Amino acid sequence: MLGLLKAAFHPAVAHRVLRRPLTYELLGRLGKNAYSRQNKRAQGIWFDFTSREMKAALRRENLVVWANAFFPFELLHALGVSPVHPETIAALAARLGLSRQAISCAEAGGYSPDTCSFYRCATGLNMENLLPPPDLVISASYLCDGAVKFFHNIARYYGCDYFLLDVPYHDTENARKYLAGQLEELAGIIAARQGKRFNPDRLVEALELSNQARDYFVRTNELRRASPSPLSGDDAISYVLDMQFFGPGSRAGADFFKALYEEVKTNVDSGQGPVAPEKLRLLWLHYIRPYYPNEVLSYLEEAGASICFGEANYVYWEPLDVAKPFESLAARVLANPSGGPLERRADLALELAEKYRVDGVIHFSHWGCRQSCGGEYVIRDLMKKKGVPMLILDGDGADSRNYSREQTRLRLEAFLEMLEANK
Amino acid sequence: MAGQDFPSFVGIRDMAERHRELISRRGRPVVGWFCSYTPLEIIDAAGLHPYRIVPEPGRAMTRADSYIDRNYCPYVRTILGEAMDGAYDFMDGLVVLNSCDPMRRLYDVWRYNLAGKFIHLLDLPRIETESAVAYYRECLLGLVAALEDRFRVTISDAALAQAIADRNRTRSLLRELYIANRESGHLPAAQLHGVVRASTLLPRDDFALVLERLLDEVKGAPVEFKEGPRLLITGSIMDNPQIVEFIEECDARVVGDDLCNGTRQFWYEIGPDTDPLAALSRHYLGRTPCPRMKDAQRRFDHVLRMVDDFRADGVVFYTLKFCDPFLFDVPLLKEQLEQRGIPSLLLEGDYTPGTLGRVRTRIEAFIEMLRQDVRTA
Ligand code: SF4
Ligand code: SF4
């Protein structure tokens, strides 16, 4: 499917095609069918969902709201806005080979090559007028400083309002109250912009859908303890992650995680998986991986090493309490182990390494991602104390200029050899 | 150079060199701080001595290699390297603010490798709404409780009010000094920088005494400005005052700054409030913003106002490498300056003395360009 997309989106024609709502309508249908025929119903749902959102935003069917990946999307689904999530679009652009040009464009506009390439890419795509203009821009102030700044600059570019959800560091009573208050205020702001009153019933509905998705996701994650690993790392840190960010609170989100659960269950029941025989099991640390054409994951899988789990897919939040919608969304946000002190992330990594019985850990050290790179040595040391080897793999998620095939291969090769010898 | 033989500046410089001794004579526990949002008044009111950690460039950088990623804020890296070498063992505690990603990781990596010391992470909102002010007040209360508990002291409202009054005095004197020097051009910018630096090291009363004398002298000085372009520096941390010296050697003047370890520390005074913690909360969230805050335009407006007030002909952006909050501001602020006909130059520092050599030619070219602009204007 992506091959087809790629052919259609040769950079030369991309400009014209990418801005047409019809493109996404068509793609959505094609994709859904194609994936379902390959027994990839979940991926089909994702494809349809993402295309429909792009189409809605381009048609300006409702208030167009840009928001970052760590914002609780339940609220946006409850309000029925048309969300745009630039970080995913940047990852998709990288997959389609469109990121280089976009990144150069951003750099020519004064954006430093030292900043996160997802934001540089999204900035460039925006400068090239490839993205649906926002009516309102929202960002949660975590996981990184880049989010706060990138979304601000987008709002300035369009002269529209910017709402920053200021996420506290500690998870305390006060912090929850402060955060819940901001979410409630934002609900009022968006509803007013839509010319209607905020309808709490819709939020309850969204929370219920989110809980349904969560429930299937937790069960899927339990199934992922099986060997051979029943879900490919590639899928898990691409469209599954997307749905985890943007799906909760929508019908598609609930359907997606049910379908995913069923697919994974079928694999576990039949003892199948993407990597067979599975010689080594790996844990992936970071929310991202390289998305442009590269060999990192395929090399590992071909060598018999499965990425059996990634910290990104961990369900860190409790079921949402529909009686206290804003408070429980606030609690969900504050529960993210990548926020607050590093112990939270490190403890989780150790726990996952044990739970998924991994032979080794790869920390993807994405260029420009300060929040994650800053803690990698500490985590590596902790892993070492537990006897789990960890590789810090330098690289870049969206900027292929920072990818060296040979060097990456050498490092992975050496790491796998070491793991084999350890066994 | 003018001002070099300034008795009071020399006094401040000598004192700054002897700071350890002066602090120990006072016998107060020392609390290290990093970010200019740190509410020093609370540390003062606890009877502790706040001490800003800003290492000299070039020290202990490679030492940090085993503790934190190389592609990282060099301020944080240098601090970690020095800490591992025991440079801060004399301190009794640390207050770290949740200002940016590198700062919160500094807190984590420090604790992991150097356990034992009192170290408190103070959260810091990025917005300044009423609810943020209320939330931040709670966070300040948390700092009060932690200091009281650790150092067995009581921080009274009266002591806080006194500390606010004292710090406000220093703030206004420093500001006056900048403004007086803007007119007379008497103190070279690197010396002015040294005075501000001393204000973050020395016991407060010692510093206040010399500062007052220095201010009188600068106010009374004749106008000593040379011809040549006037520059304003905006940036993160100025690690190397030699950069400022070098600019002035090229016959330009650095007339003012908007730096984390410059005017951002003191430009505005804390407003009155019957509740001192509320006053602090409101002040810090509302003061001249750092790039980490949501409302970047408020920062840009401040810089533009400074350009006017200090009659600057050009602006130098000085940022440490990998400082995301600042880097994202550059394209926008540059454009706004251009719209007013103010050229700007971006310089990146990496906390090594080697920076100077690399930026030299760029500074020269920029100043030459400005000089032609000034001549043709
Ligand atoms: S990869 Fe890191 S820096 Fe980039 S958007 Fe994600 S958290 Fe932020
Ligand atoms: S220089 Fe920038 S990245 Fe470094 S501590 Fe200061 S604000 Fe943070």
Side-chain angles (χ1 to χ4, degrees):
Chain A
M1 197 53 219
L2 282 167
L4 180 78
L5 248 180
K6 238 183 252 176
F9 293 158
H10 186 268
V13 277
H15 276 238
R16 268 174 298 136
V17 186
L18 282 175
R19 269 156 48 204
R20 296 231 174 95
L22 196 65
T23 305
Y24 295 93
E25 165 112 41
L26 235 132
L27 271 175
R29 287 194 194 162
L30 271 173
K32 196 173 178 180
N33 276 330
Y35 282 123
S36 301
R37 273 203 307 276
Q38 298 167 34
N39 278 333
K40 291 186 136 193
R41 217 165 62 78
Q43 197 166 0
I45 296 172
W46 161 75
F47 205 86
D48 184 47
F49 172 74
T50 308
S51 317
R52 262 190 295 129
E53 288 205 327
M54 259 323 250
K55 186 189 83 180
L58 284 165
R59 283 227 177 112
R60 318 201 69 73
E61 286 171 2
N62 208 319
L63 203 71
V64 178
V65 176
W66 285 36
N68 79 325
F70 293 95
F71 184 83
F73 267 64
E74 288 88 346
L75 187 64
L76 300 183
H77 291 304
L79 286 153
V81 300
S82 293
V84 174
H85 12 89
E87 291 112 331
T88 335
I89 298 178
L92 275 172
R95 277 215 163 190
L96 299 174
L98 297 172
S99 62
R100 265 200 194 205
Q101 192 189 332
I103 286 170
S104 312
C105 185
E107 287 173 6
Y111 282 87
S112 162
D114 289 335
T115 56
C116 171
S117 56
F118 289 89
Y119 289 136
R120 261 178 293 143
C121 177
T123 299
L125 292 170
N126 187 53
M127 288 164 105
E128 292 177 314
N129 284 323
L130 285 172
L131 304 178
D135 297 309
L136 176 70
V137 176
I138 298 175
S139 176
S141 66
Y142 79 138
L143 298 181
C144 64
D145 295 337
V148 176
K149 304 299 293 180
F150 164 80
F151 285 90
H152 166 270
N153 288 7
I154 289 291
R156 292 284 305 182
Y157 185 90
Y158 287 104
C160 66
D161 287 342
Y162 176 39
F163 188 98
L164 181 73
L165 183 72
D166 186 38
V167 179
Y169 181 87
H170 298 105
D171 185 0
T172 60
E173 267 307 303
N174 269 322
R176 287 192 187 191
K177 234 175 54 200
Y178 171 51
L179 192 53
Q182 293 177 61
L183 287 165
E184 192 162 357
E185 183 195 345
L186 177 61
I189 292 176
I190 294 181
R193 295 282 293 269
Q194 293 170 316
K196 55 187 188 193
R197 281 176 68 93
F198 173 66
N199 179 355
D201 293 345
R202 289 289 307 277
L203 185 56
V204 167
E205 215 175 286
L207 261 49
E208 278 164 355
L209 286 168
S210 174
N211 282 341
Q212 282 174 30
R214 179 190 177 280
D215 186 44
Y216 277 110
F217 198 23
V218 169
R219 286 157 71 184
T220 308
N221 283 347
E222 281 303 312
L223 289 176
R224 292 180 69 186
R225 294 167 73 171
S227 179
S229 166
L231 180 68
S232 92
D234 187 327
D235 293 347
I237 324 173
S238 53
Y239 66 89
V240 175
L241 185 59
D242 253 24
M243 284 311 270
Q244 183 185 330
F245 283 143
F246 312 116
S250 68
R251 166 61 49 203
D255 291 347
F256 173 88
F257 283 103
K258 183 162 187 282
L260 182 72
Y261 170 75
E262 285 159 3
E263 279 167 30
V264 170
K265 177 116 181 31
T266 311
N267 277 351
V268 173
D269 289 346
S270 61
Q272 280 178 354
V275 182
E278 183 183 62
K279 288 193 249 165
L280 292 166
R281 292 167 64 83
L282 301 174
L283 174 71
W284 187 268
L285 296 184
H286 205 305
Y287 269 90
I288 50 149
R289 59 181 187 79
Y291 291 97
Y292 44 80
N294 73 88
E295 293 180 342
V296 177
L297 296 193
S298 57
Y299 172 76
L300 291 170
E301 296 198 339
E302 278 158 27
S306 70
I307 308 279
C308 64
F309 203 72
E311 65 171 336
N313 294 132
Y314 175 69
V315 178
Y316 52 79
W317 65 99
E318 294 295 313
L320 305 168
D321 179 357
V322 293
K324 296 189 212 145
F326 294 109
E327 288 81 352
S328 59
L329 285 178
R332 166 157 160 39
V333 168
L334 288 169
N336 191 313
S338 287
L342 184 65
E343 290 90 320
R344 293 170 78 188
R345 183 176 181 221
D347 288 349
L348 174 67
L350 292 169
E351 184 192 316
L352 294 176
E354 199 179 308
K355 182 169 176 183
Y356 287 88
R357 303 182 321 279
V358 301
D359 301 294
V361 180
I362 296 184
H363 183 283
F364 183 59
S365 200
H366 167 63
W367 175 259
C369 183
R370 322 288 172 222
Q371 61 87 11
S372 83
C373 300
E376 66 198 4
Y377 289 14
V378 172
I379 297 179
R380 184 174 62 186
D381 200 55
L382 287 166
M383 287 284 174
K384 194 171 157 196
K385 287 182 183 152
K386 291 255 176 196
V388 185
M390 174 168 133
L391 170 72
I392 293 177
L393 183 67
D394 293 320
D396 197 306
D399 188 351
S400 56
R401 291 174 308 183
N402 289 345
Y403 171 65
S404 150
R405 188 166 163 259
E406 290 70 33
Q407 257 178 36
T408 310
R409 212 188 166 102
L410 278 176
R411 299 211 58 202
L412 292 176
E413 219 167 60
F415 185 59
L416 294 187
E417 263 170 33
M418 194 254 283
L419 294 183
E420 296 265 16
N422 266 358
K423 274 209 111 164
Chain B
M1 226 184 281
Q4 201 128 66
D5 46 12
F6 242 39
S8 301
F9 174 73
V10 172
I12 284 179
R13 199 179 54 198
D14 288 350
M15 286 169 74
E17 270 160 20
R18 290 188 300 123
H19 62 269
R20 293 276 290 273
E21 179 204 323
L22 286 169
I23 295 167
S24 67
R25 234 175 29 214
R26 295 295 161 106
R28 289 186 192 145
V30 179
V31 173
W33 58 282
F34 308 93
C35 168
S36 62
Y37 277 95
T38 314
L40 305 180
E41 295 75 9
I42 293 179
I43 305 175
D44 289 342
L48 308 168
H49 178 81
Y51 179 103
R52 185 168 196 179
I53 298 182
V54 182
E56 302 288 316
R59 296 202 339 221
M61 188 62 134
T62 45
R63 187 79 168 90
D65 281 355
S66 1
Y67 304 97
I68 200 154
D69 200 272
R70 273 166 214 255
N71 308 312
Y72 221 70
C73 166
Y75 173 54
V76 163
R77 278 176 55 80
T78 308
I79 291 168
L80 274 175
E82 292 209 330
M84 296 309 295
D85 279 342
Y88 306 119
D89 287 356
F90 75 96
M91 292 188 179
D92 302 284
L94 298 161
V95 175
V96 186
L97 268 79
N98 181 25
S99 14
C100 59
D101 293 337
M103 270 293 143
R104 62 191 175 108
R105 290 300 170 237
L106 171 69
Y107 169 71
D108 294 322
V109 178
W110 186 308
R111 276 180 314 141
Y112 183 73
N113 292 294
L114 293 160
K117 206 185 280 294
F118 168 83
I119 175 162
H120 182 86
L121 186 124
L122 177 62
D123 198 4
L124 178 64
R126 293 180 194 254
I127 54 178
E128 23 171 316
T129 57
E130 278 308 308
S131 68
V133 170
Y135 169 71
Y136 191 45
R137 189 189 172 282
E138 294 296 327
C139 299
L140 293 178
L141 206 56
L143 174 64
V144 167
L147 290 174
E148 287 185 334
D149 186 47
R150 173 64 178 76
F151 295 99
R152 300 184 186 286
V153 291
T154 314
I155 301 177
S156 67
D157 274 6
L160 281 170
Q162 187 58 50
I164 291 175
D166 290 350
R167 287 269 165 199
N168 269 351
R169 175 92 189 115
T170 320
R171 286 170 201 275
S172 72
L173 288 177
L174 280 170
R175 184 179 157 129
E176 264 186 72
L177 183 68
Y178 261 68
I179 292 172
N181 201 56
R182 169 186 78 192
E183 301 311 325
S184 72
H186 204 87
L187 277 184
Q191 288 185 13
L192 203 52
H193 183 87
V195 175
V196 179
R197 171 79 183 121
S199 78
T200 65
L201 298 175
L202 293 172
R204 221 173 47 231
D205 349 337
D206 293 348
F207 178 74
L209 273 178
V210 223
L211 179 60
E212 277 176 41
R213 248 188 297 143
L214 179 61
L215 182 60
D216 283 346
E217 290 166 14
V218 171
K219 273 183 173 166
V223 178
E224 294 177 31
F225 267 125
K226 293 198 213 83
E227 297 270 309
R230 300 165 62 90
L231 296 178
L232 183 90
I233 299 195
T234 176
S236 43
I237 290 254
M238 172 54 74
D239 55 333
N240 190 352
Q242 274 187 313
I243 298 207
V244 184
E245 251 166 40
F246 178 68
I247 294 177
E248 301 209 322
E249 276 164 28
C250 294
D251 288 333
R253 302 288 312 198
V254 177
V255 286
D257 76 66
D258 162 61
L259 289 165
C260 177
N261 53 342
T263 60
R264 278 218 287 276
Q265 294 178 131
F266 61 79
W267 204 245
Y268 293 111
E269 284 169 44
I270 299 170
D273 197 308
T274 44
D275 172 8
L277 287 183
L280 289 173
S281 176
R282 197 172 298 283
H283 168 77
Y284 281 102
L285 296 186
R287 54 148 252 208
T288 323
C290 273
R292 63 153 327 258
M293 296 296 275
K294 174 206 167 195
D295 192 358
Q297 190 55 44
R298 221 161 56 75
R299 185 174 104 74
F300 301 160
D301 289 342
H302 174 76
V303 174
L304 296 173
R305 216 166 26 241
M306 278 200 141
V307 167
D308 288 346
D309 287 354
F310 285 86
R311 302 187 302 280
D313 304 305
V315 171
V316 173
F317 293 128
Y318 184 79
T319 176
L320 288 181
K321 250 178 117 52
F322 308 117
C323 176
D324 290 337
F326 192 82
L327 289 174
F328 273 94
D329 273 358
V330 170
L332 276 69
L333 183 53
K334 193 173 167 61
E335 189 187 324
Q336 294 192 21
L337 286 164
E338 263 162 24
Q339 282 162 2
R340 300 179 167 223
I342 304 288
S344 59
L345 170 73
L346 172 67
L347 297 177
E348 281 185 302
D350 62 1
Y351 235 104
T352 64
T355 312
L356 194 61
R358 282 203 303 278
V359 299
R360 225 182 167 93
T361 35
R362 303 195 49 222
I363 295 178
E364 275 167 352
F366 183 63
I367 292 174
E368 185 47 40
M369 182 202 78
L370 284 176
R371 218 182 267 124
Q372 281 169 11
D373 276 5
V374 173
R375 256 186 247 126
T376 50

